[in-house]
Amino acid sequence: MGADSGPGAPAPVPWRKVLYERQPFPDNYVDRRFLEELRRNIRVRQYRYWAVVRETGLIAQQVSCVALFLTLWSCMERGALVPSAVLWVCLACALLGYGLYEILGGSCVRERTRLADLQSATIFLAFTFGFSPVLKTLTESVSTDTVYAMSAVMLLAHLVSFPYAQPSPPGSLSLNAALFGSVCLASRLPGALHTFTMLSCALLVFALWPCLLHRMREKAEWSFPWAAVLVCLAGVGGLGSLWPEGALLLALALLTLTLVCPLLLVHLQRHKDNIHGPWDEAEIREDLSRFLN
Amino acid sequence: MGHRKRGHTHAPKPPPSLDTHSSNSLRLSDHEQGLKHRICMVSDFFYPNMGGVESHIYQLSQCLIEKGHKVVIATHAYGDRRGIRYLINGLKVYYLPLQVMYNQSTATTCFHSLPLLRCVFVRERISIVHAHSSFSAMAHDALFHAKTMGLNTVFTDHSLFGFADLSSVLTNKLLTVSLCDTNHIVCVSYTSKENTVLRAALDPEIVSVIPNAVDPTDFTPDPCRRDNNKITIVVISRLVYRKGIDLLSGIIPELCAKHPDLCFLIGGEGPKRIILEEVREKYQLHDRVRLLGALDHKDVRDVLVQGHIFLNTSLTEAFCMAIVEGASCGLQVVSTRVGGIPEVLPDELVTLCEPSVHSICDGLETVIARIRTGNVASPANIHRKVRTLYTWRNVAERTEKVYNRVCREPVLPLSARLHRLRSHCGAVAGSIFSFVAVINFIFLLFLQWLRPDHLIDVAIDSSGPQSRMGQHLSKKKSKAPNPAVS
């Protein structure tokens, strides 16, 4: 038994995959059972193109949400929109959305009472209204370019870190990035009421809308593509009123995202080569936190 | 050119067919008992760091010295410990001043260790460089430089790796580059061989399986030390995710509820200790679960003999030394069936379970029931069986065969090496490392001009056939403490 592969006669005993016995084979012997437990691609999902396109609707609509938010901000900054009007529209949308959420989630057990919801809404509105003069002067000493750059980075971070797999509740990093970006932008507006309005809109768009969308997907599957398309069109249209070239770019980006990227994903699946075997680290398939809770 | 300079040293390396110590040895025979090699073991991991790789290198070197070879170890400096140290039997260790980056592994630039390693290889007239552990950057560096200098190379891999995530992909590519022109590779289990062959795209004929071993005199049973009123389960491992400590946190409450006389003894330290403390706190098991913290290697046996059952919950292992140590101390072994563990112990010495809380609990229940009815072998019997299974002398004998085979093989000259790198390692990595190999070669030529080989003092051997120390030792052949010769 050694590291020579000399031409010996094949031993009558079969080779066994054990180390505790001295076997009459050289150490570098390669049995025909070598790599017999190798498995390739056992957990590969088969993607279908249109199903993937449907899923990318979520990403596209989130990008359009950001575009819509920026349009709103730009309109308020130019003075094309009056803050009180926007505020009333926001309130109406919020109530409508809440009603829709309740109707769709009729059979679900409520985690929070309506009173608790009302309380958190009141607290938020009160504090934001009270602090809006402070927030307005937040970036007074910062140059405009820096503010725009910071907001752009924050909104990009929001898009990148958004939990597309589980959008409700929205992830902490993405929500915080979005709100920080909106605070930076809101502080550039002419008045304290503008700031308050902007922040309420930001909350609606970035915190509450994903929850409603997720509920719509769960309960009324057919409505999700329509909602996504509507938001995308609104985003492109809104941007078009400001900056037509930008709207064209956005439309192009959305089309690439929704149509070309799924094609790539489905096409590249053929190159997948996952190797599985006894050397893999075992996965713990149970929830062990039950022993600690 | 880099390969031929050795002719200028004082005692040129004898060609394999003419051995000065056994002139009757057959040329190219399978049993070249007379052929003694000059081996340099290189790894980042060596004493004073404690671990499996460290003790493997030490024990293997000692057994090879006992067989008459010359062995030198090169590792990086540990704190103040730098320079040359001599261990028992003339084992010389070079603690080279290379900067440690993370987890006892040095930084690598592929070049900066060449002068130091060249000095070691030329001074000691090394013929074979044996590198250990894929995690060690110094080992890969040494392989790279050894090939540039025209020395034969052997690599031993001690661990299993995945394939799927980004770090694995990059590490496997580096391993492919490192091993594509290495003469021979040694793995510690058949599963590890399959894993390494897939990772580095190797020819399986050049991979040998030589298992680890345990020194049975260090791990002897002592049934008087355990409390027979209770059943004690011993767990000794680093408390990290990879060792399945999460499973342990599920097993402890379940079994302690069912068996009032059961207790756990857990040795080792790590980030998952907090989970065990939480479980202990929640179920009020303070008198039944003892956390001993980090254990010195010499204390491990004392903890093991206090138990009836040794539990191993690892999620992946190439060759689990711990279960052999536990069995050698006479404990009943219960382990997860992962990696190379099914190959290590025969069925009567180990109970294997799937890596889930339920399965391990079932396995433990079976063993506990057997212990209660007295239907288990005595610790002395188990120790006697395990003693003969894995010995360091057997490992050394098999490694010697690897060296005998390796020293007959040619080392690839530079042109062939570049061709192999580019053809075997892919276009991008192959080209990059071909470039690095060429620069390494030019650097070697520069060093040979700056300080030629014949001007480097040859070190006095402290082990091997020409050793000064060996003359005293051969006179009094010390009685081997390990009578299990295989």
Side-chain angles (χ1 to χ4, degrees):
Chain A
M1 188 182 51
D4 19 51
S5 46
V13 291
W15 175 83
R16 288 176 61 206
K17 197 174 178 183
V18 293
L19 296 167
Y20 48 81
E21 273 180 7
R22 310 273 183 254
Q23 301 196 63
F25 298 98
D27 282 333
N28 60 343
Y29 174 68
V30 181
D31 195 62
R32 61 189 166 74
R33 285 168 49 199
F34 185 66
L35 289 180
E36 69 175 355
E37 288 175 79
L38 174 71
R39 302 277 177 271
R40 290 185 187 272
N41 291 338
I42 54 179
R43 280 196 280 268
V44 166
R45 293 173 50 177
Q46 296 298 327
Y47 290 112
R48 283 178 17 254
Y49 179 66
W50 287 110
V52 182
V53 170
R54 249 178 97 105
E55 298 299 320
T56 50
L58 183 62
I59 308 176
Q61 71 86 34
Q62 197 64 28
V63 176
S64 313
C65 275
V66 171
L68 213 60
F69 179 74
L70 289 175
T71 317
L72 202 62
W73 174 81
S74 176
C75 287
M76 287 194 66
E77 209 217 355
R78 285 180 314 178
L81 288 174
V82 181
S84 46
V86 178
L87 219 56
W88 284 117
V89 172
C90 277
L91 186 65
C93 286
L95 287 173
L96 211 69
Y98 191 69
L100 198 61
Y101 191 82
E102 289 296 308
I103 293 171
L104 285 175
S107 58
C108 284
V109 174
R110 290 195 58 94
E111 287 170 352
R112 296 157 57 95
T113 61
R114 293 214 173 85
L115 188 62
D117 284 344
L118 188 63
Q119 270 178 337
S120 27
T122 317
I123 290 173
F124 174 79
L125 289 173
F127 268 94
T128 317
F129 188 70
F131 277 109
S132 55
V134 177
L135 290 171
K136 184 189 168 329
T137 59
L138 194 66
T139 58
E140 250 181 12
S141 57
V142 183
S143 82
T144 313
D145 289 339
T146 316
V147 169
Y148 289 165
M150 240 171 11
S151 316
V153 168
M154 284 299 135
L155 289 172
L156 203 64
H158 161 77
L159 285 175
V160 165
S161 63
F162 189 78
Y164 295 104
Q166 180 66 23
S168 163
S172 64
L173 178 61
S174 65
L175 184 58
N176 279 316
L179 286 180
F180 182 59
S182 49
V183 163
C184 287
L185 285 176
S187 61
R188 285 289 164 194
L189 291 176
L193 192 62
H194 294 78
T195 313
F196 173 59
T197 315
M198 205 74 255
L199 286 175
S200 311
C201 287
L203 186 75
L204 267 183
V205 170
F206 294 120
L208 299 179
W209 169 243
C211 297
L212 178 61
L213 194 66
H214 188 70
R215 182 58 70 90
M216 280 166 66
R217 272 185 91 173
E218 279 181 348
K219 301 295 177 184
E221 189 63 44
W222 55 270
S223 60
F224 170 68
W226 293 111
V229 166
L230 211 64
V231 172
C232 291
L233 286 175
V236 173
L239 204 60
S241 67
L242 277 181
W243 182 32
E245 293 83 3
L248 191 64
L249 277 176
L250 181 66
L252 225 62
L254 290 177
L255 281 173
T256 317
L257 196 61
T258 10
L259 297 177
V260 176
C261 291
L263 195 66
L264 267 180
L265 180 68
V266 174
H267 196 69
L268 290 174
Q269 288 298 303
R270 73 171 70 169
H271 293 295
K272 241 180 156 44
D273 186 17
N274 284 347
I275 300 177
H276 302 273
W279 49 80
D280 284 338
E281 190 173 292
E283 283 173 17
I284 301 180
R285 288 181 199 279
E286 48 199 326
D287 181 19
L288 291 169
S289 56
R290 64 189 160 101
F291 293 105
L292 288 173
N293 293 340
Chain B
M1 255 165 62
H3 324 312
R4 296 282 165 258
K5 283 285 187 160
R6 219 194 316 278
H8 293 282
T9 57
H10 294 158
K13 167 191 160 190
S17 54
L18 291 173
D19 188 77
T20 47
H21 298 278
S22 167
S23 46
N24 293 331
S25 69
L26 305 163
R27 268 185 86 152
L28 303 176
S29 81
D30 288 336
H31 304 288
E32 285 154 323
Q33 282 137 354
L35 190 59
K36 302 299 173 200
H37 306 284
R38 290 185 295 275
I39 303 145
C40 181
M41 305 271 187
V42 187
S43 179
D44 273 314
F45 307 113
F46 194 65
Y47 298 150
N49 205 33
M50 290 308 303
V53 178
E54 293 83 345
S55 62
H56 176 104
I57 298 175
Y58 175 73
Q59 299 281 8
L60 179 60
S61 308
Q62 289 291 348
C63 288
L64 286 170
I65 289 177
E66 201 181 51
K67 284 183 170 297
H69 300 282
K70 170 178 170 172
V71 181
V72 164
I73 298 178
T75 181
H76 70 258
Y78 282 86
D80 281 344
R81 189 185 285 238
R82 51 180 64 201
I84 300 172
R85 302 256 173 148
Y86 290 87
L87 301 182
I88 293 178
N89 287 340
L91 178 59
K92 192 169 180 180
V93 186
Y94 281 87
Y95 287 97
L96 299 174
L98 297 168
Q99 182 62 34
V100 174
M101 290 302 285
Y102 167 72
N103 202 21
Q104 297 305 331
S105 185
T106 47
T108 176
T109 62
C110 289
F111 302 122
H112 76 285
S113 50
L114 178 59
L116 276 174
L117 285 172
R118 171 181 173 253
C119 270
V120 173
F121 296 158
V122 172
R123 285 192 81 217
E124 305 287 344
R125 299 169 300 128
I126 298 294
S127 57
I128 297 177
V129 173
H130 188 159
H132 290 264
S133 180
S134 327
F135 289 108
S136 163
M138 194 173 163
H140 292 295
D141 263 358
L143 287 179
F144 202 72
H145 299 318
K147 289 169 209 164
T148 312
M149 290 174 65
L151 303 174
N152 290 106
T153 46
V154 179
F155 178 75
T156 298
D157 195 6
H158 294 260
S159 41
L160 293 178
F161 260 96
F163 295 90
D165 50 315
L166 181 65
S167 64
S168 300
V169 169
L170 292 174
T171 319
N172 292 347
K173 195 51 149 179
L174 290 175
L175 192 74
T176 313
V177 167
S178 194
L179 297 187
C180 71
D181 46 359
T182 303
N183 292 118
H184 209 88
I185 290 108
V186 175
C187 289
V188 294
S189 68
Y190 292 109
T191 308
S192 177
K193 173 172 175 172
E194 292 178 352
N195 184 245
T196 308
V197 164
L198 285 173
R199 271 161 60 202
L202 299 169
D203 172 17
E205 295 277 329
I206 64 166
V207 183
S208 288
V209 175
I210 303 178
N212 263 336
V214 72
D215 187 356
T217 58
D218 277 347
F219 295 95
T220 48
D222 193 0
C224 325
R225 293 282 305 274
R226 56 187 186 189
D227 184 357
N228 281 320
N229 300 329
K230 307 188 279 194
I231 296 186
T232 312
I233 299 182
V234 178
V235 179
I236 297 187
S237 79
R238 287 177 298 139
L239 303 180
V240 293
Y241 172 74
R242 219 171 131 99
K243 300 289 182 184
I245 302 301
D246 294 297
L247 291 174
L248 189 60
S249 72
I251 294 165
I252 291 177
E254 281 216 19
L255 284 182
C256 284
K258 282 193 202 153
H259 299 271
D261 58 344
L262 195 66
C263 63
F264 282 83
L265 202 56
I266 300 172
E269 196 52 75
K272 290 279 181 179
R273 185 185 169 136
I274 189 84
I275 293 189
L276 294 176
E277 287 178 352
E278 278 179 16
V279 165
R280 183 171 69 170
E281 187 65 44
K282 180 174 179 213
Y283 293 92
Q284 293 297 306
L285 296 168
H286 295 273
D287 53 335
R288 296 168 65 184
V289 174
R290 278 178 59 202
L291 293 167
L292 299 172
L295 289 176
D296 273 344
H297 189 75
K298 57 185 185 323
D299 301 328
V300 168
R301 184 252 175 188
D302 289 330
V303 174
L304 281 175
V305 291
Q306 293 176 37
H308 296 83
I309 302 176
F310 183 81
L311 177 62
N312 174 53
T313 50
S314 304
L315 300 179
T316 179
E317 286 279 1
F319 180 101
C320 191
M321 275 323 296
I323 56 177
V324 183
E325 290 169 359
S328 180
C329 286
L331 279 75
Q332 301 293 315
V333 178
V334 176
S335 172
T336 44
R337 187 194 306 269
V338 290
I341 292 179
E343 308 167 24
V344 175
L345 287 176
D347 291 332
E348 64 264 19
L349 291 178
V350 66
T351 307
L352 293 174
C353 320
E354 299 306 314
S356 69
V357 171
H358 180 73
S359 178
I360 300 177
C361 285
D362 284 345
L364 281 170
E365 297 265 5
T366 324
V367 175
I368 292 173
R370 285 215 310 259
I371 292 179
R372 287 200 207 280
T373 59
N375 198 11
V376 289
S378 73
N381 279 341
I382 299 177
H383 174 80
R384 242 199 309 277
K385 266 190 232 167
V386 173
R387 210 165 60 174
T388 53
L389 292 182
Y390 301 106
T391 61
W392 285 113
R393 288 206 171 79
N394 179 250
V395 173
E397 183 191 315
R398 290 156 86 164
T399 312
E400 197 184 10
K401 292 200 171 93
V402 170
Y403 294 150
N404 289 343
R405 180 196 158 121
V406 158
C407 72
R408 294 201 301 257
E409 289 177 13
V411 183
L412 292 181
L414 185 65
S415 53
R417 200 174 155 207
L418 296 181
H419 181 76
R420 174 80 69 90
L421 277 169
R422 277 204 312 272
S423 63
H424 197 254
C425 306
V428 176
S431 309
I432 294 174
F433 283 96
S434 306
F435 179 66
V436 173
V438 170
I439 301 290
N440 206 23
F441 188 70
I442 295 174
F443 191 24
L444 178 68
L445 292 179
F446 172 70
L447 288 173
Q448 283 172 341
W449 168 80
L450 195 65
R451 245 186 116 200
D453 280 1
H454 65 270
L455 290 183
I456 295 180
D457 284 335
V458 173
I460 297 172
D461 285 353
S462 59
S463 55
Q466 289 161 356
S467 128
R468 305 279 182 263
M469 292 191 195
Q471 290 168 4
H472 299 287
L473 277 176
S474 62
K475 301 232 172 76
K476 46 159 189 126
K477 265 271 196 237
S478 49
K479 178 170 67 72
N482 179 3
V485 177
S486 51

